[in-house]
Amino acid sequence: MKLQDIIAMTLVFLLGSISLVMGTLVLLGIQEVAHTTLKGLLVYNVVLGALSLLVAILVWKGLKSSPKFVLLIILSHASILSFLIFFVPDVALESIRAMEVRVILWGLVYLLIQWGNITKVRQRTSGWGSMTILVLLSTVFLLGCKQSPSRTNLDPKDAQTKNSKEKAHQSEEVFANGWVNEIQLDQGVKWQANVETTIGVTKMRSIINRTAPRTISEYQQLGNELNNLKNKLVKECTMTGPSHDNLHVWLYPLIKKIEALQSVGNEKSGRQLTQNIAQHLKSYDDFFK
């Protein structure tokens, strides 16, 4: 086996193993993550992780069909990445970054197993494969740039002004209560929530009531603890239909507030966010029972 094939097989095996193991642990609730996860994305990662191990075997045996399977996985990951970016507004940035890394590494795997055929591939009609890889990798980098605003053409004063406006806008968005105009009652009565959701809200209230953060790090620690409880609440939620939809209307602003508290930069903002989160948690009783 050639060196490039060994490297490619090792990469595929590691990618598959990590996706399969980590996805399974999170799905079963054994492993918790610091960001909000999508169950469908976790299932996808587990399935593709298992398929990746099969592809590793194909590469190890040197089968000619292995490049085609690698291309299919690249296209699958690229499609999911595009879907997350353009159609799932509340997806965690960590999930997008992880998918970008997968596309890039699988592109590298394809180039490695085709290393000896690059000259032939350029001369034959099957060269679309290499062009596809280049286009996909370019797309990934462009999408990555889309996530982070460029500062290349800004002088320090302009950059400072822009950052101030962005922070002000983010602050207004976090403290906004527009969700109260979206949420609805169940024909005038409160929605029936599952016990685990109510317990999770109660625990978050309790942790705020029994802590008295004063420093930036203490406020951030409170944000981390609230985030862990929020993640557990999301995983244990069994609500469906309109009740679940209205819970999401209530929960989404809370997630943003907790994320802001996790990265708070001063004591005043930490105090304001903590008070706002406490009020938001109190409003749970106005819509759910």
Side-chain angles (χ1 to χ4, degrees):
M1 181 182 291
K2 298 178 181 179
L3 177 60
Q4 59 265 28
D5 293 330
I6 296 175
I7 297 174
M9 182 191 68
T10 303
L11 278 175
V12 172
F13 178 79
L14 291 176
L15 286 170
S17 300
I18 293 173
S19 295
L20 181 61
V21 174
M22 293 302 298
T24 302
L25 291 177
V26 176
L27 271 177
L28 297 178
I30 300 174
Q31 176 72 33
E32 292 188 359
V33 292
H35 59 275
T36 304
T37 57
L38 303 175
K39 187 174 182 180
L41 186 59
L42 289 174
V43 173
Y44 171 84
N45 289 337
V46 171
V47 172
L48 267 292
L51 290 177
S52 299
L53 296 180
L54 294 177
V55 173
I57 296 175
L58 296 180
V59 176
W60 174 55
K61 291 185 176 181
L63 298 181
K64 294 182 179 180
S65 60
S66 56
K68 295 181 180 179
F69 284 100
V70 172
L71 273 178
L72 287 175
I73 291 180
I74 293 174
L75 292 173
S76 178
H77 285 332
S79 299
I80 294 297
L81 174 61
S82 300
F83 179 78
L84 292 176
I85 291 176
F86 295 111
F87 300 104
V88 187
D90 56 345
V91 65
L93 182 60
E94 290 85 352
S95 298
I96 293 178
R97 293 302 184 211
M99 196 59 66
E100 288 176 344
V101 170
R102 290 189 184 100
V103 174
I104 293 173
L105 290 179
W106 276 99
L108 177 61
V109 168
Y110 180 84
L111 294 177
L112 284 171
I113 61 179
Q114 290 288 81
W115 188 265
N117 299 323
I118 288 180
T119 303
K120 295 180 181 179
V121 168
R122 287 176 180 174
Q123 297 174 350
R124 295 165 53 187
T125 56
S126 60
W128 66 270
S130 295
M131 292 301 297
T132 301
I133 294 299
L134 292 176
V135 171
L136 286 175
L137 292 179
S138 300
T139 303
V140 169
F141 283 115
L142 288 174
L143 291 175
C145 293
K146 180 178 180 292
Q147 296 295 321
S148 303
S150 174
R151 300 182 181 177
T152 305
N153 298 323
L154 294 179
D155 60 36
K157 291 183 179 180
D158 291 338
Q160 186 176 4
T161 301
K162 183 177 180 181
N163 289 337
S164 299
K165 290 181 179 179
E166 288 178 350
K167 289 180 180 179
H169 176 72
Q170 291 171 357
S171 178
E172 292 176 1
E173 186 179 14
V174 167
F175 287 103
N177 288 319
W179 63 272
V180 297
N181 298 321
E182 300 179 28
I183 197 168
Q184 299 176 347
L185 290 170
D186 184 11
Q187 297 181 352
V189 299
K190 300 177 182 179
W191 296 102
Q192 182 63 54
N194 65 305
V195 177
E196 292 81 4
T197 297
T198 301
I199 291 176
V201 172
T202 302
K203 287 182 177 180
M204 283 192 276
R205 288 175 181 167
S206 177
I207 197 173
I208 289 180
N209 292 334
R210 64 180 172 80
T211 56
R214 296 182 179 180
T215 64
I216 295 176
S217 60
E218 289 175 349
Y219 280 115
Q220 292 175 345
Q221 178 60 31
L222 174 61
N224 292 333
E225 294 179 11
L226 289 172
N227 188 63
N228 291 334
L229 290 173
K230 178 264 300 177
N231 288 338
K232 185 177 181 181
L233 181 152
V234 172
K235 285 193 296 184
E236 295 180 347
C237 179
T238 57
M239 297 166 64
T240 58
S243 62
H244 176 269
D245 295 338
N246 281 278
L247 177 66
H248 183 80
V249 172
W250 177 84
L251 185 61
Y252 183 72
L254 178 63
I255 292 174
K256 293 299 181 182
K257 293 171 184 178
I258 292 175
E259 289 177 350
L261 186 60
Q262 287 180 283
S263 58
V264 71
N266 58 75
E267 291 83 356
K268 181 180 179 181
S269 296
R271 183 169 59 255
Q272 292 175 339
L273 279 168
T274 302
Q275 294 172 351
N276 194 274
I277 291 173
Q279 294 174 355
H280 195 102
L281 291 169
K282 185 178 179 180
S283 69
Y284 175 84
D285 293 333
D286 296 334
F287 303 98
F288 304 95
K289 60 182 179 179

